[in-house]
Amino acid sequence: MFVGRIIAGISGASFTTASAYIADISEPEKRAQNFGMVGAAFGLGFILGPLIGGLFADFGSRVPFLIAAGLSLLNALYGYFVLPESLSQENRRPFDWKRANPIGTFINLKRHKEIIWLIVVIFLLNIAGQSPQSTWTYYTILKFEWSTKMVGASLAFIGLSIAIVQGGLIRVIVPKLGQEKSVYLGFAFSLLGYVLFAFANQGWMMFAFMVPFALGGIAMPAIQGIISNRVPNNEQGEMQGAITSLISVTAIIGPVLMTELFYTFTQSTASVYFPGAPFMMSAILVTISLIIAAFSFKKILRHKL
């Protein structure tokens, strides 16, 4: 199982390639909206994946893995035989092992000092995003006595909401507000969503509060768009790889932090009983990200001048 997970994790680098592909084929002013399509696809997968897995699990616990392998094979065949190459010949660079590793990639980020802090923002936002991913099931079962079916329905609703925002609304909001204002708007909605989750006292509220939480998804594609527009065309893949590597690190740190907070504040011996502590931690991280983003935008503006 562990070997399989390692191979799957290495293969997961295709997400980086997909983001770089979108950067290659998109006009600079369209990149944020098109990055949102990746988020929309993820949201739809968040709905369909568990549904397909649940249906085929009735035929045996190994069958969902075989279905996933078949879908991955179809992806590979489509990418190789159908999808056209996105990177033009003049924008290609020789392969270099010094850059083809996380450490080398992070060292090269020093050349883009004006966007370093935006990458830190992405890091913090993804740690914040681990609170619902890591504690949603525990939180809703403990606080509202939800069944597993209700938990599944709520996760599907989250996925649908994210798909609508990042696949549809972002294509309207970013062109009207611009990328910087879209980032601030997304932060405001994220902050509101996390605080509301933390203090919800009835189950139906969790569904209602998913709306501002999902609208917070406006920020991330807008930030990616800003970063992508500050990077040369022949370095898009390297930049997306660095971002994905950082996101992978947050998938290690975030679950440990959020589940530990949930455990600490739900014990009978806790000085303060507060199951919503992980969501409040996320709200704090979003607030810090907002401050850093504002500082970074000023730095980018000075760099332009």
Side-chain angles (χ1 to χ4, degrees), residues 20 22 46 64 66 103 120 157 194 204 214 222 254 271 277 285 289:
I22 285 175
F46 202 71
L66 297 174
I103 296 174
V120 173
F157 188 79
Y194 284 126
W204 65 266
S271 55
L285 291 172
S289 299

Side-chain angles (χ1 to χ4, degrees), residues 163-175:
I164 291 172
V165 170
Q166 297 202 0
L169 285 179
I170 197 170
R171 305 186 78 80
V172 177
I173 293 171
V174 172

Side-chain angles (χ1 to χ4, degrees):
M1 279 294 284
F2 280 110
V3 171
R5 288 301 299 155
I6 291 169
I7 295 172
I10 295 171
S11 305
S14 59
F15 185 88
T16 300
T17 310
S19 296
Y21 190 100
I22 285 175
D24 288 340
I25 64 172
S26 302
E27 295 296 325
E29 66 274 9
K30 294 281 187 181
R31 280 176 180 163
Q33 297 97 302
N34 291 341
F35 281 133
M37 292 299 293
V38 177
F42 179 82
L44 289 174
F46 202 71
I47 301 169
L48 297 175
L51 177 62
I52 294 171
L55 289 174
F56 283 98
D58 291 339
F59 300 99
S61 60
R62 298 176 188 269
V63 175
F65 292 100
L66 297 174
I67 298 296
L71 291 172
S72 295
L73 177 60
L74 287 176
N75 241 356
L77 294 173
Y78 177 80
Y80 189 81
F81 291 107
V82 179
L83 200 65
E85 175 55 57
S86 64
L87 190 62
S88 60
Q89 195 69 40
E90 62 270 19
N91 285 329
R92 298 183 191 181
R93 294 185 298 173
F95 181 81
D96 185 355
W97 281 107
K98 291 180 180 179
R99 297 196 315 268
N101 64 84
I103 296 174
T105 299
F106 292 145
I107 291 173
N108 280 334
L109 288 178
K110 291 190 299 184
R111 294 187 293 110
H112 306 288
K113 294 180 180 179
E114 73 275 15
I115 58 173
I116 283 288
W117 288 106
L118 284 182
I119 295 173
V120 173
V121 167
I122 289 179
F123 180 77
L124 294 176
L125 287 180
N126 276 276
I127 292 179
Q130 291 295 328
S131 62
Q133 291 187 41
S134 302
T135 66
W136 184 270
T137 301
Y138 304 123
Y139 181 74
T140 52
I141 290 176
L142 175 69
K143 200 165 185 179
F144 310 115
E145 298 182 345
W146 279 6
S147 65
T148 52
K149 185 177 291 186
M150 180 61 79
V151 171
S154 67
L155 292 174
F157 188 79
I158 289 177
L160 178 61
S161 301
I162 292 172
I164 291 172
V165 170
Q166 297 202 0
L169 285 179
I170 197 170
R171 305 186 78 80
V172 177
I173 293 171
V174 172
K176 286 193 173 183
L177 296 181
Q179 292 180 338
E180 185 175 333
K181 289 182 179 178
S182 296
V183 171
Y184 288 135
L185 182 65
F187 280 147
F189 278 121
S190 287
L191 183 58
L192 178 62
Y194 284 126
V195 172
L196 290 174
F197 281 155
F199 291 98
N201 53 31
Q202 294 187 45
W204 65 266
M205 291 181 177
M206 298 300 285
F207 282 89
F209 299 158
M210 287 176 201
V211 175
F213 173 74
L215 287 169
I218 297 168
M220 189 65 76
I223 294 172
Q224 282 184 279
I226 293 170
I227 291 174
S228 180
N229 290 341
R230 306 294 299 174
V231 174
N233 290 333
N234 63 353
E235 295 182 23
Q236 293 293 333
E238 187 175 354
M239 177 57 69
Q240 297 304 323
I243 292 173
T244 304
S245 295
L246 279 176
I247 291 174
S248 298
V249 173
T250 67
I252 300 171
I253 298 171
V256 175
L257 172 64
M258 299 305 177
T259 53
E260 185 63 29
L261 281 171
F262 183 81
Y263 174 80
T264 300
F265 285 92
T266 55
Q267 294 300 296
S268 57
T269 56
S271 55
V272 177
Y273 182 80
F274 185 38
F279 296 113
M280 283 305 299
M281 173 57 74
S282 294
I284 292 169
L285 291 172
V286 170
T287 302
I288 296 171
S289 299
L290 173 60
I291 296 169
I292 294 174
F295 164 78
S296 184
F297 290 148
K298 289 181 180 178
K299 197 169 183 179
I300 290 173
L301 181 60
R302 287 199 300 270
H303 190 268
K304 285 181 179 179
L305 297 174

